[in-house]
């Protein structure tokens, strides 16, 4: 059997290695148009920033190492220009020698990846305007910085690559501005959680501008100049364009293979295309979202690796299926970590799901052990079924651990209330006896049993304009004096039972504290003494993050603050 693989990196290289492990006799050829077949795609920004010093560390396998270990024929600088399904051949162009030839196959695997979106800007091809997708892109950016010592950079786009590039450019001493078209960075998480990211980037000296619709980049006096609506042109020494990727589908389209959403290659659960002898994996394919069961395109390394393995299994006669992706992701943002799995609120609303959410701000490990830091955790679940829909975490340590636990719970089909029962490892340096994931489960269990009712930041504008409610802050007088939400009165938790006479039992009481714990205790006291009360999810810590982010962002919107 002869298998040809188009493209390496995560999906193609994984498929090749798995094929060899399953079939020692198969002839396996990888055609890769770049000079690198298997490299650490997610590590590229960190070489630019200097966190990874040796560029050789980016290369996971070379053509020589593939041949020595796996007897796989890897041909870099070879671009497949056409797939011929009728004759089961591919047309190949050797970029170095300029020669072309035909190669036959029994089975074909497409792993072409995705291409960065490149708008038709006037200076898009300038040596001062970059996109980042390949090792070659990385070397160009690093060499430009080393050679020219730029003082200013503009990053267009606030997704994963844009934020990682902003961090690493800043670490090189460059003054960085991020231009983002919508109202937040990192849109895989919700706006309330993104407020912590905005605050972190501002504190690190990164300039944020939202609502920016870039119209053009021109080269003027040998410098890129960015033109956008509602703002003066911005002059920079270099520009990173990071506004997304599109599936590389040209070969599949020309071969008549079925395409799906965003032009991605349509595959079944065995990673087969509409041609039974052609498989496709990675960023170029349309898959099923594990939560919504809707079609999705998710460009992440984890799914690509799994898909490569599954394609290889099926070619070798093993019945292996891809069940979909939850889109689990994590990102380092200076010394902060942001992670998510499943869907967020915006996606839940688009899918028409009736959901509930909990937000909590526990410590990363036992408070009495030195170094504990607050993390913020948000869990979404379906009201009727208690199915966990997604989770998001922001903090400084232990965020990835909690999101991984919740990602596992989602895949295992645990209902939201059952995460309170998870038996998770505990020692003071690592967690608390009640892990943050357990705490989220306790809160959900309390909500579902009617023990507590929550309210959220988005409820405050309406509540502060009502005379028939009481807004109560149960922090200490000192905490309250340092900042409080509009319209709230202060009765510290420990004084509450002695000051019931200051509250009107005919009015519902909406309670806030620093993290949500003392306000929860206050609601239990109030409810058992004839009051109707609600707990503010996430506490004043979340409130202040969102509130001050909106104040800062109101001056950062190119065309005025969005409502």
């Amino acid at each position: 059997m002869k298998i040809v693989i188009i493209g390496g990196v995560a999906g193609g290289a994984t498929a090749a290695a798995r094929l060899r492990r399953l079939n020692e006799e198969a002839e396996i050829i990888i055609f890769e148009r770049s000079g690198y077949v298997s490299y650490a795609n997610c590590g590229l920004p960190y070489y630019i920033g200097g966190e990874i010093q040796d560029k050789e560390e980016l290369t996971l396998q070379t053509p020589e190492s593939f041949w020595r270990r796996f007897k796989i024929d890897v041909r870099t600088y070879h671009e497949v220009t056409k797939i011929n399904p009728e004759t089961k051949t591919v047309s190949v162009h050797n970029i170095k020698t300029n020669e072309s030839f035909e190669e036959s196959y029994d089975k074909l695997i497409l792993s072409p990846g995705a291409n960065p979106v490149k708008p038709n800007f006037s200076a898009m091809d300038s040596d001062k305007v970059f996109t980042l997708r390949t090792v070659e892109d990385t070397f160009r950016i690093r060499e430009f910085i080393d050679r020219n010592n730029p003082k200013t950079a503009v990053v267009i786009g606030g997704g994963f690559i844009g934020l990682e590039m902003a961090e690493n450019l800043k670490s090189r001493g460059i003054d960085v501005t991020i231009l983002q078209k919508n109202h937040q960075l990192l849109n895989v998480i919700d706006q309330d959680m993104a407020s912590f990211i905005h605050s972190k980037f501002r504190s690190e000296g990164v300039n944020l501008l939202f609502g920016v619709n870039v119209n053009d980049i021109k080269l003027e006096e040998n410098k890129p100049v960015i033109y956008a609506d509602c703002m003066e042109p911005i002059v920079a020494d270099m520009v990173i364009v990071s506004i997304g990727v599109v599936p590389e589908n040209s070969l599949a389209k020309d071969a008549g293979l079925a395409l799906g959403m965003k032009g991605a290659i349509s595959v079944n659960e065995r990673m087969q295309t509409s041609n039974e002898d052609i498989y496709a994996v990675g960023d170029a394919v349309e898959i099923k979202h594990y939560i919504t069961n809707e079609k999705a395109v998710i460009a992440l390394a984890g799914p690509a690796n799994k898909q490569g393995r599954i394609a290889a299994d099926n070619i070798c006669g093993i019945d292996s299926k891809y069940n979909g992706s939850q889109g689990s992701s994590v990102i380092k943002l200076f010394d902060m970590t942001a992670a998510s799995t499943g869907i967020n609120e915006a996606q839940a609303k688009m899918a028409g799901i009736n959901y509930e959410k909990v937000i909590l701000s526990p410590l990363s490990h036992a408070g009495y052990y030195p170094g504990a830091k607050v993390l913020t955790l948000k869990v979404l679940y379906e009201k009727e079924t208690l199915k966990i829909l997604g989770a998001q975490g922001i903090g400084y340590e232990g965020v990835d651990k909690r999101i991984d636990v919740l990602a596992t719970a989602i895949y295992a089909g645990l209902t939201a209330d059952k995460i309170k029962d998870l038996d998770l490892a505990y020692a003071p340096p690592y967690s608390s006896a009640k892990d943050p994931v357990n705490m989220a489960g306790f809160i959900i269990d309390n909500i579902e049993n009617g023990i507590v009712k929550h309210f959220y930041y988005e409820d405050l504008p309406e509540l502060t304009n009502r005379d028939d409610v009481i807004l109560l802050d149960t922090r200490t007088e000192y905490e309250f004096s340092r900042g409080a939400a509009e319209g709230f009165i202060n009765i510290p938790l420990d004084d509450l039972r002695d000051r019931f006479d200051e509250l009107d039992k005919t009015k519902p009481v909406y309670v806030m504290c620093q993290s949500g714990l003392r306000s929860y205790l206050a609601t239990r006291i109030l409810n058992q003494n004839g009051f109707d009360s609600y707990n503010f999810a996430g506490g004043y810590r979340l409130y202040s993050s969102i509130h001050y982010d909106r104040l800062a962002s109101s001056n950062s919107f190119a065309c005025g603050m969005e409502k």
Side-chain angles (χ1 to χ4, degrees):
M1 180 164 55
K2 182 178 181 181
I3 303 111
V4 168
I5 301 171
I6 302 175
V9 198
T14 296
R18 177 67 171 172
L19 284 165
R20 176 58 75 223
R21 291 194 297 270
L22 295 176
N23 188 333
E24 184 66 16
E25 303 302 321
E27 181 182 359
I28 305 168
I29 303 172
I30 301 177
F31 291 118
E32 169 59 50
R33 63 185 170 191
S34 76
Y36 300 86
V37 65
S38 179
Y39 55 89
N41 200 306
C42 298
L44 301 182
Y46 301 102
Y47 175 71
I48 294 168
E51 193 77 16
I52 298 173
Q53 293 287 339
D54 186 355
K55 64 182 180 181
E56 300 301 324
E57 294 294 328
L58 297 173
T59 304
L60 304 178
Q61 291 281 357
T62 65
E64 294 76 19
S65 66
F66 253 115
W67 180 255
R68 284 195 304 269
R69 178 157 295 179
F70 298 108
K71 292 298 183 284
I72 292 172
D73 182 4
V74 176
R75 305 183 198 178
T76 55
Y77 299 111
H78 280 66
E79 181 176 13
V80 174
T81 58
K82 188 178 181 182
I83 300 170
N84 310 296
E86 303 84 5
T87 58
K88 297 184 73 171
T89 62
V90 294
S91 303
V92 187
H93 176 68
N94 185 325
I95 296 171
K96 284 194 169 182
T97 66
N98 204 30
E99 296 174 324
S100 298
F101 60 93
E102 301 285 307
E103 191 74 50
S104 64
Y105 65 83
D106 295 311
K107 301 291 182 182
L108 180 67
I109 300 177
L110 297 178
S111 180
N115 292 323
V117 175
K118 293 185 177 181
N120 190 29
F121 296 146
S122 302
M124 195 67 216
D125 294 328
S126 163
D127 62 356
K128 296 176 175 64
V129 179
F130 305 91
T131 57
L132 177 60
R133 191 66 180 173
T134 67
V135 173
E136 288 88 348
D137 294 336
T138 307
F139 293 163
R140 279 193 292 270
I141 298 171
R142 172 77 178 255
E143 288 165 6
F144 176 86
I145 295 171
D146 292 344
R147 187 174 61 251
N148 296 283
N149 192 27
K151 299 296 187 293
T152 59
V154 169
V155 176
I156 302 176
F160 288 101
I161 294 296
L163 297 188
E164 289 174 341
M165 279 304 304
E167 175 191 346
N168 282 280
L169 292 173
K170 191 67 182 176
S171 73
R172 295 291 302 266
I174 301 171
D175 184 25
V176 180
T177 297
I178 298 176
L179 306 182
Q180 175 72 339
K181 190 171 185 178
N182 61 22
H183 58 280
Q184 71 168 81
L185 303 176
L186 201 64
N187 62 10
V188 297
I189 67 172
D190 290 314
Q191 189 177 4
D192 51 3
M193 300 290 280
S195 66
F196 293 105
I197 297 174
H198 301 169
S199 176
K200 167 53 67 176
F201 271 77
R202 291 187 180 108
S203 73
E204 296 288 346
V206 177
N207 308 304
L208 304 181
L209 289 174
F210 297 109
V212 178
N213 182 36
V214 176
N215 298 314
D216 202 3
I217 303 174
K218 297 180 181 179
L219 204 62
E220 299 177 6
E221 298 182 3
N222 206 31
K223 284 195 172 185
V225 182
I226 298 97
Y227 290 87
D229 294 340
C230 307
M231 58 187 292
E232 293 296 316
I234 299 176
V235 182
D237 294 325
M238 63 182 296
V239 178
I240 306 291
V241 179
S242 180
I243 57 176
V245 296
V246 290
E248 170 53 80
N249 67 3
S250 56
L251 289 173
K253 184 177 181 180
D254 291 345
L257 302 181
L259 303 179
M261 66 181 303
K262 299 182 181 179
I265 304 168
S266 180
V267 294
N268 62 21
E269 58 190 1
R270 292 178 173 82
M271 308 312 299
Q272 278 178 306
T273 68
S274 53
N275 184 307
E276 64 179 7
D277 292 319
I278 302 177
Y279 295 73
V281 300
D283 296 353
V285 304
E286 175 193 69
I287 52 93
K288 180 183 72 173
H289 198 291
Y290 190 76
I291 304 297
T292 64
N293 288 320
E294 300 291 331
K295 298 293 185 180
V297 179
I298 297 177
L300 292 170
N305 274 280
K306 296 179 184 69
Q307 293 159 15
R309 178 187 175 93
I310 288 167
D313 282 355
N314 283 287
I315 288 172
C316 293
I318 298 173
D319 185 15
S320 187
K321 298 177 181 179
Y322 187 67
N323 295 318
S325 173
Q326 296 168 210
S328 300
S329 64
V330 64
I331 183 171
K332 172 186 173 293
L333 304 170
F334 297 99
D335 59 344
M336 176 181 277
T337 299
S340 68
T341 186
I343 62 174
N344 58 28
E345 284 197 70
Q347 293 168 314
K349 290 173 182 175
M350 285 184 61
I353 298 172
N354 185 24
Y355 69 92
E356 183 61 87
K357 61 184 174 182
V358 297
I359 308 170
L360 58 158
S361 299
L363 292 175
S364 57
H365 62 247
Y368 61 83
Y369 187 87
K373 296 182 179 179
V374 175
L375 65 86
T376 301
L377 194 61
K378 181 174 184 176
V379 180
L380 275 64
Y381 63 95
E382 190 172 30
K383 284 186 178 180
E384 292 82 6
T385 65
L386 301 190
K387 173 185 176 181
I388 306 172
L389 301 172
Q392 303 159 42
I394 303 281
Y396 293 90
E397 63 174 43
V399 172
D400 54 338
K401 168 183 175 178
R402 274 70 191 209
I403 292 300
D404 282 344
V405 169
L406 287 162
T408 304
I410 289 172
Y411 193 83
L414 293 183
T415 53
D417 57 329
K418 295 303 181 185
I419 60 177
K420 74 181 189 303
D421 301 321
L422 291 174
D423 193 355
L424 303 174
Y426 160 62
Y430 302 104
S431 184
S432 300
K434 297 175 182 177
D435 187 86
V437 173
N438 296 136
M439 291 300 299
F442 293 141
I443 295 170
I444 291 166
D445 188 61
N446 283 338
I447 290 174
E448 294 306 312
N449 287 319
I451 292 173
V452 68
K453 294 179 288 188
H454 277 182
F455 70 108
Y456 305 94
Y457 185 92
E458 57 267 28
D459 299 322
L460 288 173
E462 189 263 338
L463 290 172
T464 54
N465 288 318
R466 287 172 54 182
D467 296 325
D468 60 341
V469 300
I470 298 171
L471 304 180
L472 176 64
D473 190 317
T474 58
R475 294 176 297 157
T476 65
E477 292 180 1
Y478 174 72
E479 289 175 298
F480 187 78
S481 69
R482 297 184 65 190
E486 179 186 354
F488 278 72
I489 62 172
N490 179 224
I491 301 178
L493 173 63
D494 293 342
D495 299 341
L496 183 58
R497 290 182 179 89
D498 297 326
R499 296 174 63 177
F500 283 154
D501 58 343
E502 298 176 33
L503 304 175
D504 184 347
K505 284 189 177 181
T506 67
K507 296 181 179 181
V509 185
Y510 291 81
V511 192
M512 183 183 293
C513 74
Q514 186 64 22
S515 68
L517 175 58
R518 282 174 288 175
S519 52
Y520 162 64
L521 297 175
T523 63
R524 296 306 305 137
I525 293 169
L526 290 166
N527 286 356
Q528 294 178 82
N529 282 275
F531 293 88
D532 180 23
S533 63
Y534 297 77
N535 187 21
F536 183 75
Y540 181 76
R541 179 177 180 273
L542 177 65
Y543 166 86
S544 61
S545 180
I546 301 170
H547 180 69
Y548 291 112
D549 174 52
R550 292 196 174 186
L551 290 177
S553 295
S554 65
N555 297 318
S556 303
F557 266 79
C559 297
M561 182 67 176
E562 291 186 355
K563 302 297 183 184

